[in-house]
Amino acid sequence: MTFVVTENCIQCKYTDCVEVCPVDCFYEGPNFLVIDPDECIDCALCEPECPAEAIFSEDELPKGQEEFIEINAELAEEWPNIAEKKDPLPDAEEWDGKTGKIDKLER
Ligand code: SF4
Ligand code: F3S
């Protein structure tokens, strides 16, 4: 079991999540974060920390977000680790809650 970062993180990237993860299993891309499913210990600490409500347990994913299971697993292998909070992306508030953001995902 793992937790998964879903679409609403894209273009927001608040990074509050990384501060609470006891095993530092977040990885950072240009406009999105992912969780390494092999490292996540399923502690659930990150879920309530995300201002964009983008983090879910893989067995409680909202409808339509299933593809993010594979996206997290794949990009965690490619992107560098992030363990310290940084500023969100400049237009985070504007993008928070928008749909169709997967088209904006930069790899
Ligand atoms: Fe880290 Fe726990 Fe969130 Fe998994 S559920 S990413 S271990 S804080
Ligand atoms: Fe993304 Fe939420 Fe973390 S927006 S960077 S999953 S705090």
Side-chain angles (χ1 to χ4, degrees), residues 1-5 17-18 20-26 34-36 39-47 55:
M1 191 83 87
T2 181
F3 277 66
V4 177
V5 185
C17 53
V18 305
V20 298
C21 181
V23 293
D24 293 345
C25 66
F26 282 89
V34 293
I35 293 169
D36 185 332
E39 296 177 337
C40 175
I41 57 169
D42 214 19
C43 70
L45 288 175
C46 57
E47 185 175 8
I55 303 176

Side-chain angles (χ1 to χ4, degrees), residues 72-87:
N72 276 242
E74 184 188 326
L75 295 177
E77 298 287 314
E78 298 175 17
W79 286 348
N81 189 259
I82 172 171
E84 285 183 18
K85 181 172 165 52
K86 55 167 71 170
D87 288 341

Side-chain angles (χ1 to χ4, degrees), residues 40-78:
C40 175
I41 57 169
D42 214 19
C43 70
L45 288 175
C46 57
E47 185 175 8
E49 295 301 318
C50 176
E53 297 182 8
I55 303 176
F56 296 89
S57 170
E58 70 176 331
D59 61 356
E60 291 176 351
L61 279 177
K63 209 167 182 312
Q65 298 294 302
E66 297 83 358
E67 65 189 304
F68 282 91
I69 295 176
E70 187 55 39
I71 289 171
N72 276 242
E74 184 188 326
L75 295 177
E77 298 287 314
E78 298 175 17

